[in-house]
Amino acid sequence: MQRVTLISMYDEYCLGVRYMSALLQREGHSVHVILFKGVEFITPRDVPPPERQEEGGYYAYASYVSRTELELVLDLLRKQEPHLVGISFSSINFGVAQFLTEQIRKRLGVPVIWGGVDSTINPETNIPYTDMLCVGEGEYPLLNLVNAMDRGKDITCIPSIWVNRDGTIYRNPVMKLEQNPDKYPFPDFEPANKTLILNDRISEALYPPHSHLYTNFMIMGARGCPFTCSYCCSGHYRKIYKGDCIIRQRSPENVIRELEYRLETWPWPLQRVEFYDDVLPANKAWIREFSPLYAERVGLPFFGYTHPNVGDPENLALLQKAGLHYLIMGIQSGSQRVLKEVLNRRHTKERTIQTAQNILDTGAKLLVDFIGYNPLVREEDNVETLELLCDLPRPFGIIKINPMAYYDNYVITEIAMKEGILDQLERPKGVHAYQAIMKPEYIFWEYLHTLAQFDGFTKEHLMGLAKDGYLRENPEILEEIVTNFYRTTYQGGNPVAHKDQYIDELHRRLAEFENSRIMAVYRKAGNWLRGRNRMKKLYRFLRRSLSRNGRKGPVGFRV
Ligand code: B12
Ligand code: SF4
């Protein structure tokens, strides 16, 4: 029996870690999971400014390890005496993982293995900093490694595991993918043997304070995606697992059994299920079997993701009947040029609109995803995106426009290099990616696009604002409008707002508008709110847009 400690960097969900933990335990090993902070703390705003940084810690762009936190990790490891430490991280946490690893190796002498998307995509860059790493899926490779360690066998020839022995690198080909994910045990969400490190302390809590996991349960019914967008890891997985079937679906019965188990054992009442399948409504046979079982045996509202080319009305209707509350559809751009040449996505405007309509027709809510802050996008592309947004069936909500991340070795980063735009990108500290150097036009377009989801802004108004030179130079005005609109339409992260409280809150917030710079813009859009009684019109406009269709705007989605 081996003792293994798995550390998840800034990710309390860490499905990969939880799958590996469950499998190792089933095979007789002992596992401890350290949750090093959580998803909600990945933000440059949380990283202390230089004057508050502790010497002996490591401070990256959007994450950090203080000296106190480092000592907490080392103390835990001393107590647990693991034979092996595994660290799971994505590219945003390369720097902090490297720092922790160096300290663990130097001060405890325990071997460390890395895994996750960054090690899968950048194994050559990463292997010098660790004893071992895992390329791709890790359940069986890690189990084989731990079994080999247990039996004192050679560990340099295990499929998917790379080994760095004093600078000599053993690169092993990837193991074939498990085609039947039902063979894995359910991921380890048990409270036992978990430690959360947060804000310089070992937390009493199981999860960070705002984690979805207090009310929601996350699950994946399938692994793998049929698409290969240039800014996503999916294409890379296709390359490294060439010849293997990438999309592997758990049986509906297996998924339902896990959910029943969670309903029985979750420490808090569950309110919602989060499906992280890359495209949930894809497989008709699966959905036909799954939906009635879910409705009968689970029955909680759930959300999932889809793609504009995946929106078969029958599949959507079955899912909605089972409890689909909302679907998040990645659109990313309305420009056909950008979709084709930059993002490697093929979906026509008509198809996107049709899928959106199909979703709304079922009665489910629609959220859409767009990517901004991308120097490969031109003015006319942004206008085309605005047009699409204006023409999308309503109501819909936009999840905050994501800035494009050019992760190392992703196709989008190769395109950026080929197009010669690296001078418009910067490399944040400790991150294996580039991001755009800020320009006012990115903010301008982010907020103009965001504005398009609110009722009352007609296509004509928005196209007019798009041409406004003053707004372009002062995009913070748009930002303020959008922020105010979000405030009036957003209820404490919960899409199901209490109506009375909501109306009171709305009145209070409308009053705040009186002193807002929002008026400056309405003055600029003079043809719309011409003449006297501007404030009255603004109130009326807001009331109308908020009450006519019930609650409007984005529903509470915190990622
Ligand atoms: C679901 C999901 C989320 C969920 C849940 C996260 C989770 N890990 O469960 C949430 C919403 C929280 C989330 C958050 C974020 N995500 Co996300 N997410 C995903 C998604 C769609 C699936 C991840 C998953 O659970 N896969 C299933 C499990 C079983 O696989 P796995 O996690 O890869 O783990 C396996 C292997 O990697 C390996 N492994 C992993 N760790 C280790 C450790 C050891 C020691 C070993 C041996 C092996 C090993 O074995 C595991 C089991 O097979 C992926 C895309 C994808 N298809 O991978 C993006 C993805 C991981 N996310 C991404 C991003 C950018 C983010 C955020 C930064 C977004 C943000 N701005 O906040 C955060 C970062 C969180 C963090 N701390 O790293 C990017 C990361 C890109 C990169 N190169 O780093 C991805 C790859 C999508 C993309 N654009 O390509 N995400
Ligand atoms: S559809 Fe989503 S999961 Fe699939 S390749 Fe594109 S971004 Fe990745």
Side-chain angles (χ1 to χ4, degrees), residues 240-486:
I240 63 173
Y241 285 114
K242 205 163 173 211
D244 249 1
C245 176
I246 289 283
I247 301 171
R248 291 144 300 139
Q249 198 123 27
R250 294 168 66 182
S251 66
E253 182 59 30
N254 183 268
V255 171
I256 300 291
R257 262 201 244 128
E258 180 182 350
L259 289 171
E260 284 179 326
Y261 177 68
R262 301 304 174 197
L263 281 171
E264 271 167 36
T265 57
W266 207 247
W268 308 276
L270 278 172
Q271 293 174 9
R272 190 193 297 274
V273 177
E274 307 185 354
F275 277 90
Y276 281 100
D277 300 38
D278 291 326
V279 272
L280 182 62
N283 181 336
K284 182 159 282 178
W286 191 87
I287 290 172
R288 277 188 182 154
E289 193 182 333
F290 164 83
S291 295
L293 292 179
Y294 185 95
E296 190 193 323
R297 289 161 56 186
V298 184
L300 287 176
F302 63 92
F303 74 72
Y305 289 80
T306 195
H307 181 282
N309 289 344
V310 184
D312 175 81
E314 189 194 337
N315 291 356
L316 294 171
L318 283 167
L319 288 173
Q320 196 274 340
K321 233 171 130 193
L324 177 68
H325 184 193
Y326 55 92
L327 257 188
I328 304 168
M329 175 163 76
I331 300 179
Q332 320 307 2
S333 172
S335 154
Q336 287 300 313
R337 184 195 75 81
V338 170
L339 288 171
K340 185 162 167 250
E341 292 174 17
V342 179
L343 305 180
N344 195 31
R345 291 170 68 94
R346 311 288 153 102
H347 40 90
T348 60
K349 180 174 177 183
E350 294 68 33
R351 185 79 189 262
T352 305
I353 289 176
Q354 188 58 57
T355 299
Q357 190 61 58
N358 293 349
I359 294 167
L360 292 176
D361 285 348
T362 67
K365 285 179 194 290
L366 168 66
L367 293 184
V368 294
D369 230 346
F370 281 85
I371 303 178
Y373 294 69
N374 179 357
L376 294 165
V377 170
R378 302 174 192 149
E379 174 72 11
E380 59 272 24
D381 300 317
N382 278 320
V383 173
E384 212 178 323
T385 297
L386 186 58
E387 270 174 345
L388 169 72
L389 278 163
C390 292
D391 294 341
L392 267 188
R394 274 140 212 283
F396 67 91
I398 303 182
I399 295 184
K400 190 173 160 39
I401 305 225
N402 298 298
M404 175 60 86
Y406 299 81
Y407 289 109
D408 289 7
N409 271 327
Y410 274 29
V411 174
I412 187 75
T413 314
E414 287 164 17
I415 297 174
M417 287 175 178
K418 221 166 58 207
E419 293 292 318
I421 58 143
L422 281 193
D423 59 335
Q424 296 180 60
L425 304 181
E426 63 189 356
R427 206 162 165 80
K429 183 181 173 195
V431 180
H432 271 166
Y434 298 90
Q435 67 183 11
I437 298 168
M438 191 57 70
K439 281 193 216 158
E441 76 175 67
Y442 298 141
I443 305 174
F444 171 76
W445 281 110
E446 172 184 359
Y447 287 106
L448 202 50
H449 287 153
T450 308
L451 210 51
Q453 76 196 289
F454 297 106
D455 261 12
F457 290 91
T458 64
K459 192 168 179 177
E460 195 193 348
H461 297 140
L462 288 167
M463 289 300 172
L465 292 179
K467 289 191 196 112
D468 190 317
Y470 179 77
L471 277 185
R472 220 171 255 268
E473 280 165 29
N474 301 279
E476 67 281 359
I477 294 177
L478 272 179
E479 184 176 351
E480 194 176 332
I481 298 181
V482 171
T483 310
N484 279 325
F485 271 96
Y486 266 112

Side-chain angles (χ1 to χ4, degrees), residues 8 135 180 254 435 447 466 516 524:
S8 168
V135 176
N180 179 4
N254 183 268
Q435 67 183 11
Y447 287 106
S516 162
K524 282 212 70 82

